[in-house]
mmCIF file of all heavy atoms in Angstrom:
data_model
loop_
_atom_site.group_PDB
_atom_site.id
_atom_site.type_symbol
_atom_site.label_atom_id
_atom_site.label_comp_id
_atom_site.label_asym_id
_atom_site.label_seq_id
_atom_site.Cartn_x
_atom_site.Cartn_y
_atom_site.Cartn_z
ATOM 1 N N ASN A 190 87.888 81.090 100.456
ATOM 2 C CA ASN A 190 87.233 80.085 99.620
ATOM 3 C C ASN A 190 85.967 79.604 100.369
ATOM 4 O O ASN A 190 85.570 78.395 100.278
ATOM 5 C CB ASN A 190 88.207 78.907 99.307
ATOM 6 C CG ASN A 190 89.245 79.222 98.288
ATOM 7 O OD1 ASN A 190 88.943 79.760 97.243
ATOM 8 N ND2 ASN A 190 90.428 79.124 98.738
ATOM 9 N N VAL A 191 85.348 80.459 101.133
ATOM 10 C CA VAL A 191 84.107 80.140 101.825
ATOM 11 C C VAL A 191 82.966 80.982 101.311
ATOM 12 O O VAL A 191 83.219 82.209 101.051
ATOM 13 C CB VAL A 191 84.263 80.353 103.382
ATOM 14 C CG1 VAL A 191 85.225 79.352 104.001
ATOM 15 C CG2 VAL A 191 84.719 81.703 103.738
ATOM 16 N N SER A 192 81.847 80.380 101.022
ATOM 17 C CA SER A 192 80.705 81.147 100.548
ATOM 18 C C SER A 192 80.020 81.956 101.682
ATOM 19 O O SER A 192 80.367 81.691 102.795
ATOM 20 C CB SER A 192 79.724 80.175 99.980
ATOM 21 O OG SER A 192 79.107 79.336 101.015
ATOM 22 N N TYR A 193 79.003 82.718 101.316
ATOM 23 C CA TYR A 193 78.319 83.480 102.232
ATOM 24 C C TYR A 193 77.572 82.431 103.218
ATOM 25 O O TYR A 193 77.553 82.705 104.480
ATOM 26 C CB TYR A 193 77.322 84.369 101.630
ATOM 27 C CG TYR A 193 76.500 85.195 102.576
ATOM 28 C CD1 TYR A 193 77.034 86.359 103.077
ATOM 29 C CD2 TYR A 193 75.238 84.857 102.939
ATOM 30 C CE1 TYR A 193 76.288 87.197 103.916
ATOM 31 C CE2 TYR A 193 74.453 85.640 103.759
ATOM 32 C CZ TYR A 193 74.976 86.785 104.319
ATOM 33 O OH TYR A 193 74.195 87.501 105.147
ATOM 34 N N ALA A 194 77.011 81.413 102.695
ATOM 35 C CA ALA A 194 76.402 80.368 103.489
ATOM 36 C C ALA A 194 77.367 79.662 104.427
ATOM 37 O O ALA A 194 77.021 79.422 105.605
ATOM 38 C CB ALA A 194 75.703 79.354 102.566
ATOM 39 N N ASP A 195 78.548 79.404 104.048
ATOM 40 C CA ASP A 195 79.531 78.856 104.856
ATOM 41 C C ASP A 195 79.763 79.735 106.094
ATOM 42 O O ASP A 195 79.950 79.341 107.180
ATOM 43 C CB ASP A 195 80.854 78.668 104.135
ATOM 44 C CG ASP A 195 80.781 77.502 103.042
ATOM 45 O OD1 ASP A 195 79.953 76.593 103.210
ATOM 46 O OD2 ASP A 195 81.519 77.610 102.000
ATOM 47 N N ALA A 196 80.000 81.040 105.816
ATOM 48 C CA ALA A 196 80.317 81.975 106.744
ATOM 49 C C ALA A 196 79.144 82.081 107.751
ATOM 50 O O ALA A 196 79.358 82.142 109.044
ATOM 51 C CB ALA A 196 80.709 83.329 106.260
ATOM 52 N N SER A 197 77.882 82.091 107.254
ATOM 53 C CA SER A 197 76.812 82.215 108.127
ATOM 54 C C SER A 197 76.571 80.969 108.978
ATOM 55 O O SER A 197 76.149 81.033 110.135
ATOM 56 C CB SER A 197 75.449 82.450 107.223
ATOM 57 O OG SER A 197 75.523 83.611 106.530
ATOM 58 N N ALA A 198 76.928 79.819 108.457
ATOM 59 C CA ALA A 198 76.853 78.570 109.192
ATOM 60 C C ALA A 198 77.881 78.563 110.280
ATOM 61 O O ALA A 198 77.587 78.073 111.434
ATOM 62 C CB ALA A 198 77.182 77.276 108.263
ATOM 63 N N TYR A 199 78.999 79.144 110.075
ATOM 64 C CA TYR A 199 80.010 79.290 111.183
ATOM 65 C C TYR A 199 79.443 80.097 112.284
ATOM 66 O O TYR A 199 79.614 79.765 113.437
ATOM 67 C CB TYR A 199 81.313 79.795 110.664
ATOM 68 C CG TYR A 199 82.464 80.014 111.642
ATOM 69 C CD1 TYR A 199 83.326 79.102 111.938
ATOM 70 C CD2 TYR A 199 82.473 81.271 112.364
ATOM 71 C CE1 TYR A 199 84.328 79.254 112.875
ATOM 72 C CE2 TYR A 199 83.426 81.512 113.338
ATOM 73 C CZ TYR A 199 84.409 80.447 113.625
ATOM 74 O OH TYR A 199 85.387 80.649 114.506
ATOM 75 N N CYS A 200 78.793 81.200 111.993
ATOM 76 C CA CYS A 200 78.286 82.048 112.960
ATOM 77 C C CYS A 200 77.147 81.345 113.754
ATOM 78 O O CYS A 200 77.057 81.508 115.029
ATOM 79 C CB CYS A 200 77.655 83.334 112.325
ATOM 80 S SG CYS A 200 78.852 84.373 111.510
ATOM 81 N N ALA A 201 76.314 80.627 113.036
ATOM 82 C CA ALA A 201 75.212 79.834 113.730
ATOM 83 C C ALA A 201 75.806 78.839 114.694
ATOM 84 O O ALA A 201 75.293 78.595 115.735
ATOM 85 C CB ALA A 201 74.398 79.181 112.691
ATOM 86 N N TRP A 202 76.977 78.183 114.315
ATOM 87 C CA TRP A 202 77.683 77.223 115.198
ATOM 88 C C TRP A 202 78.133 77.947 116.442
ATOM 89 O O TRP A 202 77.943 77.392 117.568
ATOM 90 C CB TRP A 202 78.727 76.664 114.428
ATOM 91 C CG TRP A 202 79.656 75.737 115.194
ATOM 92 C CD1 TRP A 202 79.412 74.403 115.621
ATOM 93 C CD2 TRP A 202 81.069 75.890 115.442
ATOM 94 N NE1 TRP A 202 80.449 73.966 116.273
ATOM 95 C CE2 TRP A 202 81.519 74.784 116.209
ATOM 96 C CE3 TRP A 202 81.940 76.955 115.250
ATOM 97 C CZ2 TRP A 202 82.838 74.591 116.731
ATOM 98 C CZ3 TRP A 202 83.262 76.874 115.746
ATOM 99 C CH2 TRP A 202 83.681 75.777 116.500
ATOM 100 N N LEU A 203 78.689 79.022 116.230
ATOM 101 C CA LEU A 203 79.190 79.817 117.555
ATOM 102 C C LEU A 203 77.960 80.149 118.444
ATOM 103 O O LEU A 203 78.109 80.035 119.692
ATOM 104 C CB LEU A 203 79.848 81.118 117.067
ATOM 105 C CG LEU A 203 81.284 81.153 116.495
ATOM 106 C CD1 LEU A 203 81.843 82.437 116.272
ATOM 107 C CD2 LEU A 203 82.225 80.344 117.379
ATOM 108 N N THR A 204 76.842 80.576 117.825
ATOM 109 C CA THR A 204 75.728 80.834 118.556
ATOM 110 C C THR A 204 75.176 79.679 119.343
ATOM 111 O O THR A 204 74.775 79.770 120.556
ATOM 112 C CB THR A 204 74.564 81.409 117.655
ATOM 113 O OG1 THR A 204 75.041 82.563 117.042
ATOM 114 C CG2 THR A 204 73.335 81.792 118.457
ATOM 115 N N ALA A 205 75.178 78.593 118.726
ATOM 116 C CA ALA A 205 74.660 77.375 119.297
ATOM 117 C C ALA A 205 75.550 76.832 120.532
ATOM 118 O O ALA A 205 75.041 76.361 121.508
ATOM 119 C CB ALA A 205 74.643 76.184 118.302
ATOM 120 N N LYS A 206 76.855 77.204 120.385
ATOM 121 C CA LYS A 206 77.779 76.835 121.424
ATOM 122 C C LYS A 206 77.553 77.714 122.650
ATOM 123 O O LYS A 206 77.905 77.245 123.792
ATOM 124 C CB LYS A 206 79.262 77.007 120.936
ATOM 125 C CG LYS A 206 79.702 75.961 119.962
ATOM 126 C CD LYS A 206 81.091 76.277 119.512
ATOM 127 C CE LYS A 206 82.090 76.235 120.619
ATOM 128 N NZ LYS A 206 83.479 76.586 120.164
ATOM 129 N N GLU A 207 77.043 78.915 122.529
ATOM 130 C CA GLU A 207 76.812 79.791 123.671
ATOM 131 C C GLU A 207 75.380 80.132 123.861
ATOM 132 O O GLU A 207 75.026 81.314 123.858
ATOM 133 C CB GLU A 207 77.677 81.017 123.499
ATOM 134 C CG GLU A 207 79.170 80.760 123.437
ATOM 135 C CD GLU A 207 80.024 82.097 123.497
ATOM 136 O OE1 GLU A 207 79.469 83.062 123.952
ATOM 137 O OE2 GLU A 207 81.167 82.041 123.024
ATOM 138 N N THR A 208 74.563 79.181 123.920
ATOM 139 C CA THR A 208 73.103 79.381 124.031
ATOM 140 C C THR A 208 72.840 80.416 125.158
ATOM 141 O O THR A 208 73.192 80.269 126.389
ATOM 142 C CB THR A 208 72.435 78.042 124.406
ATOM 143 O OG1 THR A 208 72.772 77.017 123.519
ATOM 144 C CG2 THR A 208 70.933 78.177 124.404
ATOM 145 N N GLY A 209 72.135 81.356 124.674
ATOM 146 C CA GLY A 209 71.681 82.431 125.618
ATOM 147 C C GLY A 209 72.707 83.513 125.916
ATOM 148 O O GLY A 209 72.357 84.519 126.562
ATOM 149 N N LYS A 210 73.890 83.280 125.707
ATOM 150 C CA LYS A 210 75.023 84.169 126.030
ATOM 151 C C LYS A 210 75.215 85.345 124.955
ATOM 152 O O LYS A 210 75.380 86.456 125.347
ATOM 153 C CB LYS A 210 76.276 83.427 126.216
ATOM 154 C CG LYS A 210 76.370 82.553 127.470
ATOM 155 C CD LYS A 210 77.638 81.918 127.590
ATOM 156 C CE LYS A 210 77.797 80.908 128.791
ATOM 157 N NZ LYS A 210 79.067 80.335 128.966
#
Side-chain angles (χ1 to χ4, degrees):
N190 292 301
V191 289
S192 68
Y193 181 82
D195 292 331
S197 297
Y199 179 90
C200 295
W202 174 68
L203 285 183
T204 300
K206 286 176 63 180
E207 297 191 21
T208 306
K210 294 182 180 180

